[in-house]
Amino acid sequence: MTVATVLSRSQQGLDAPLVRVEVHVGGGLPAFSIVGLPETVVKESKDRVRAALANCGFDLPAGHITVSLAPADLPKEGGRFDLPIAVGILIASAQLPPGPFDATELYGELSLGGELLSIRGVLPTALQGRRAGHTQVFPAVNLPEAALARHGRVLGAAHLMDVCSYARGMRPLPAAAEPVAGVANGPSLDLADVRGQHRARRALEIAAAGGHSLLLIGPPGTGKSMLAQRLPGILPPMTEDEALEAAAVRSLAGRGFRVEEWRQRPFRSPHHTASAIALVGGGGRPRPGEISLAHHGVLFLDELPEFDRGVLEVLREPIESGHIVISRAGRQAEYPARFQLVAAMNPCPCGHLGDPGGNCRCTAERVAVYCSRISGPLLDRIDLQVEVPRVAVEEIAGPEAGESSAAIAARVMAARVRQIERQGQANAHLEGPAVLRRVRADAEALKLLACAMKQFALSARAYHRVLKIARTIADLADSQEVIGRHVSEAVTLRQLDRRVAGASISA
Ligand SMILES: [Zn+2]
């Protein structure tokens, strides 16, 4: 045989399109060319494959070896194709029998000695292989990650020679074991550690129950970050599909993906100096950004006004759509990005506005400029805006610990179940006419809301947000209808609307 075909997959967003690695050995002067890969990648791959074959005692066939990775216009990253290229050469030169790899996909970067090295994006590739019904061979180090896909035909190999023994029918390759159970967000960050802050804790519970975005406003050191970090611990556990999707994104990003954490809701807190690419994704070889790494989890933006305004603007679209399309050099990659946004900011440039011992001297004008660094449209998309004031010493030193995350999580779960049963989604995701239809507010509640609209000059968008928050408050109280009390609490959770209207911040 002089032409051999081996299967593999490329990576495009969360998609893993099939790639056919075709190897032809022809006459003529000895040469080795690879087409269908970017040029820099070709050279590295050629050198690794050549060295690995030689070190494993194989002959690089005399004559012209042509390797084609089809389709050619698909973006490809090099390392993972080393193994299919090497095996294709061995089959085409009759050093391995054809056949064993007919419906099998091969993956792995080769060391010069022939060891199979870890590759990126194993989980999305394994999920796609399961749908295709192909057997897949991954580097042994990637086997625990591949196992998450629950694909019955995933094998692991540590060395090129293991793959060759398997092809010759001499030795089977180990199959992937059951996936690691994985623990949901553990008790390490418990709300029992947060003392006082009753209103902020309540806002966090409401945010968790309805999937609402949340802005925490308060002086430095009052526990805004502590609160935000504890949100994943009170959210309902992810479904298996959600957990797999979130893990697949992390797998694409490569660094820092720990298989045993696959069931944990992501918590991402990019620094305010983060670039737009770091936040939403992209780059020469496109990678998911922070908003995608936070998929099904929490994106925490501390010191919100310090973020570049242009960077924040790019968040608006994914906040609404739940995904992001990255275009670069005519290519597109789509990543999911359904995250829950939690942001924090100081009340003024010095941070001490409204803080009794703080001596704030910021002028009203400076405060206004500071707040205007966050655009109105972004602010409009944040459901809950609450103050996190300095806590009295007695509360910090007192014997009373805060309520535990476990107790709050139970209420959140019950409230979320009511939403799913009623409308199939969390309240925060209700849109348009569905809001009024699903919220079921009684006459008194609507009258109260009309008053608040006038008093605080609320926008139409804010009107819907207040209704959705009131619905979540009613769900937490196991109330069929939204009544006046729910609306008035919801209005208190729109601090910035009230501030704009001239109400005191500490009202
Ligand atoms: Zn100040």
Side-chain angles (χ1 to χ4, degrees), residues 348 350-352 360 362:
C348 67
C350 85
H352 296 287
C360 168
C362 303

PDB file of all heavy atoms in Angstrom, residues 348 350-352 360 362, ligand 1:
ATOM      1  N   CYS A 348     -16.895  55.960  45.724  1.00  0.00           N
ATOM      2  CA  CYS A 348     -16.314  57.206  45.203  1.00  0.00           C
ATOM      3  C   CYS A 348     -14.827  56.949  44.958  1.00  0.00           C
ATOM      4  O   CYS A 348     -14.317  55.904  45.344  1.00  0.00           O
ATOM      5  CB  CYS A 348     -16.501  58.334  46.221  1.00  0.00           C
ATOM      6  SG  CYS A 348     -15.540  58.067  47.724  1.00  0.00           S
ATOM      7  N   CYS A 350     -12.080  57.901  46.401  1.00  0.00           N
ATOM      8  CA  CYS A 350     -11.260  57.565  47.571  1.00  0.00           C
ATOM      9  C   CYS A 350     -11.781  56.317  48.262  1.00  0.00           C
ATOM     10  O   CYS A 350     -11.074  55.675  49.024  1.00  0.00           O
ATOM     11  CB  CYS A 350     -11.165  58.741  48.547  1.00  0.00           C
ATOM     12  SG  CYS A 350     -12.539  58.839  49.703  1.00  0.00           S
ATOM     13  N   GLY A 351     -13.035  55.993  48.006  1.00  0.00           N
ATOM     14  CA  GLY A 351     -13.590  54.763  48.549  1.00  0.00           C
ATOM     15  C   GLY A 351     -14.375  54.918  49.828  1.00  0.00           C
ATOM     16  O   GLY A 351     -14.918  53.951  50.334  1.00  0.00           O
ATOM     17  N   HIS A 352     -14.441  56.133  50.368  1.00  0.00           N
ATOM     18  CA  HIS A 352     -15.013  56.259  51.705  1.00  0.00           C
ATOM     19  C   HIS A 352     -16.303  57.067  51.792  1.00  0.00           C
ATOM     20  O   HIS A 352     -16.724  57.449  52.887  1.00  0.00           O
ATOM     21  CB  HIS A 352     -13.973  56.822  52.673  1.00  0.00           C
ATOM     22  CG  HIS A 352     -12.813  55.891  52.827  1.00  0.00           C
ATOM     23  ND1 HIS A 352     -12.897  54.712  53.523  1.00  0.00           N
ATOM     24  CD2 HIS A 352     -11.559  55.949  52.316  1.00  0.00           C
ATOM     25  CE1 HIS A 352     -11.733  54.089  53.459  1.00  0.00           C
ATOM     26  NE2 HIS A 352     -10.905  54.809  52.728  1.00  0.00           N
ATOM     27  N   CYS A 360     -14.264  61.199  53.694  1.00  0.00           N
ATOM     28  CA  CYS A 360     -14.281  61.369  52.242  1.00  0.00           C
ATOM     29  C   CYS A 360     -14.357  62.848  51.900  1.00  0.00           C
ATOM     30  O   CYS A 360     -15.193  63.572  52.412  1.00  0.00           O
ATOM     31  CB  CYS A 360     -15.477  60.625  51.644  1.00  0.00           C
ATOM     32  SG  CYS A 360     -15.791  61.042  49.929  1.00  0.00           S
ATOM     33  N   CYS A 362     -14.266  63.677  48.485  1.00  0.00           N
ATOM     34  CA  CYS A 362     -14.559  63.703  47.053  1.00  0.00           C
ATOM     35  C   CYS A 362     -15.729  64.645  46.792  1.00  0.00           C
ATOM     36  O   CYS A 362     -16.741  64.586  47.477  1.00  0.00           O
ATOM     37  CB  CYS A 362     -14.913  62.308  46.545  1.00  0.00           C
ATOM     38  SG  CYS A 362     -13.634  61.091  46.852  1.00  0.00           S
TER      39      CYS A 362
HETATM   40 ZN    ZN B   1     -14.409  59.736  48.482  1.00  0.00          ZN
END
